[in-house]
Amino acid sequence: MKIRKEKDFISVFDECTGKYIRTGIIKNGKDTGEDPFMSSFPELLDVGIMGHCTHGRTGLCMKAGTECYQDGLHAEMANMPVNDFKEIARQCKGRVYQFALGGCGDPDQHVDFEEILQICCGCGIVPNFTTSGFGMTDSIAALCKKYCGAVAVSWYRSSYTTNAINTLIQAGVKTNIHYILNRDSVAEALDRLKNKGFPAGINAVVFLLHKPVGMGTKEKMVPLGDKLFGEFIKYIGSGSLNYKVGFDSCTVPALVNHPGNINQDSLDTCEGARWSAYISPDMKMFPCSFDNQEQRWAVDLRTHTIKEAWESKQFESFRDCLRNACPGCEKRSACMGGCPIRPEIVMCGKKHSGGN
């Protein structure tokens, strides 16, 4: 159990179960119930250890009906050297709860994957990652069981998808499915929820909203007011499922405005530059990985520490987008205007007035 005492709130993370608790702002020794805006250092870091994707060359994700936001078809960056990863972990020891290992490609295919997991363990940081599952083996699954908190398999609708899920489950790994919601996949998602269409034994299905970033096109975005999407949301709150269901924070504006039976207290909006950040394979730090191509808010970790990047004018500029968005909206504290990077994905139907 890790306890982090900040200036005006306390957070607790159980590395064995993954449970996380954060108090409201504490004044005069009492919890006010008001949510704190940010932490003094990221609690979670998305570390892009993969700089290119061999599967991207063959269009694996496109064949699966998804469009890689990391632009795997064209990315040529080298994978992160293990010494760079060591330095990141050194700066984060005793400060960061979790690393989400990612980047462009499957983290479990990094040449130093086992050492990277060991580094995390040595620094008291829980590693998690998402994989296509294409290269999953029994030996990799055993490493995941030993070191990882959870592993997510992207829903690529192929035999290697289900094989990877089953391999991980059989190894005793907490296994999730990451499912991209786009205008073509909502119907399938609803059907699988209703008809037990996801493999038995999974921990959760996490739905990720499609973004027009990298290979992602605007044509694939879920249309605002989409009736089928509304039906999908309603079913989430009323269906009887044998696993958990989650959403990425990009979906929160839609859930805030059209929640169905979803408990609003379970929602947390964009965490970028507030609770989390992304580090690219070439050691640049961003509030969010979706800025990895335009690099509007990038800070170079070759010349700055992670703490300096967190306190930089670039990160403060990103936070200002969230602080100042939609000032007249009665629900702004719940969604803060949504995504500052791609305002077009903000599914609320109201005029977005974020920092762009």
Side-chain angles (χ1 to χ4, degrees):
M1 187 81 69
K2 298 183 184 297
I3 300 174
R4 182 165 162 175
K5 295 182 179 180
E6 293 272 0
K7 181 181 178 181
D8 55 4
F9 70 92
I10 298 172
S11 64
V12 180
F13 176 69
D14 187 333
E15 59 267 46
C16 295
T17 65
K19 290 185 177 179
Y20 170 82
I21 299 173
R22 185 169 67 225
T23 69
I25 293 175
I26 299 172
K27 291 183 178 179
N28 300 320
K30 295 183 178 180
D31 189 332
T32 64
E34 180 184 351
D35 289 337
F37 180 73
M38 62 177 287
S39 57
S40 60
F41 196 87
E43 293 186 339
L44 180 146
L45 271 177
D46 183 356
V47 185
I49 63 173
M50 302 300 291
H52 59 275
C53 179
T54 53
H55 306 321
R57 310 291 193 279
T58 61
L60 194 71
C61 56
M62 299 294 282
K63 292 176 183 176
T66 61
E67 298 176 339
C68 173
Y69 80 93
Q70 290 273 3
D71 197 11
L73 189 62
H74 306 104
E76 300 289 348
M77 192 180 297
N79 293 339
M80 180 179 287
V82 70
N83 284 338
D84 283 348
F85 187 84
K86 284 181 181 178
E87 176 57 23
I88 292 170
R90 183 193 68 79
Q91 293 186 43
C92 293
K93 185 175 182 178
R95 290 176 155 182
V96 173
Y97 293 140
Q98 301 181 77
F99 279 174
L101 305 178
C104 184
D106 290 336
D108 52 37
Q109 301 303 301
H110 193 289
V111 66
D112 297 310
F113 181 63
E114 182 173 3
E115 185 176 359
I116 284 170
L117 296 183
Q118 291 170 344
I119 291 168
C120 291
C121 181
C123 291
I125 298 168
V126 176
N128 308 287
F129 69 94
T130 304
T131 177
S132 72
F134 191 81
M136 181 59 63
T137 62
D138 289 339
S139 60
I140 292 174
L143 288 175
C144 296
K145 171 60 177 176
K146 184 175 181 179
Y147 294 109
C148 295
V151 175
V153 179
S154 297
W155 188 250
Y156 276 10
R157 304 168 178 83
S158 300
S159 59
Y160 60 80
T161 304
T162 51
N163 288 341
I165 292 170
N166 291 331
T167 298
L168 289 163
I169 291 174
Q170 289 169 11
V173 179
K174 184 181 289 187
T175 306
N176 299 328
I177 290 173
H178 278 185
Y179 186 106
I180 302 294
L181 284 174
N182 59 43
R183 70 181 305 152
D184 299 328
S185 68
V186 173
E188 180 204 5
L190 181 58
D191 178 71
R192 288 188 178 277
L193 289 175
K194 288 182 174 180
N195 298 298
K196 299 182 179 179
F198 291 115
I202 59 171
N203 174 64
V205 178
V206 181
F207 293 102
L208 313 174
L209 192 64
H210 170 84
K211 294 93 176 170
V213 179
M215 294 163 64
T217 60
K218 291 187 176 181
E219 290 72 24
K220 283 270 191 176
M221 291 169 53
V222 179
L224 183 64
D226 184 81
K227 291 184 178 180
L228 198 58
F229 182 79
E231 184 181 344
F232 165 76
I233 296 300
K234 288 180 180 178
Y235 187 81
I236 291 291
S238 59
S240 177
L241 303 172
N242 295 322
Y243 46 80
K244 302 172 186 175
V245 172
F247 293 89
D248 65 355
S249 58
C250 307
T251 320
V252 166
L255 303 180
V256 166
N257 287 278
H258 309 285
N261 294 314
I262 295 175
N263 183 351
Q264 296 289 284
D265 291 335
S266 68
L267 304 179
D268 198 5
T269 192
C270 178
E271 297 185 346
R274 300 173 59 231
W275 309 102
S276 66
Y278 172 69
I279 298 177
S280 62
D282 61 347
M283 296 293 281
K284 291 184 176 64
M285 185 161 145
F286 308 83
C288 174
S289 59
F290 297 118
D291 186 39
N292 69 338
Q293 289 160 46
E294 292 185 6
Q295 302 195 9
R296 293 172 59 188
W297 291 281
V299 180
D300 192 347
L301 295 184
R302 301 290 185 199
T303 56
H304 298 79
T305 66
I306 293 173
K307 178 68 169 174
E308 288 170 344
W310 189 250
E311 296 174 348
S312 66
K313 63 181 181 180
Q314 292 95 317
F315 272 59
E316 194 62 14
S317 171
F318 189 92
R319 294 178 191 117
D320 283 342
C321 295
L322 301 171
R323 288 189 181 103
N324 300 326
C326 310
C329 180
E330 71 280 3
K331 297 181 179 179
R332 70 142 272 110
S333 62
C335 95
M336 298 184 188
C339 182
I341 300 172
R342 286 289 182 268
E344 60 267 38
I345 70 169
V346 179
M347 298 178 66
C348 79
K350 302 173 185 177
K351 185 178 180 180
H352 179 73
S353 57
N356 289 298

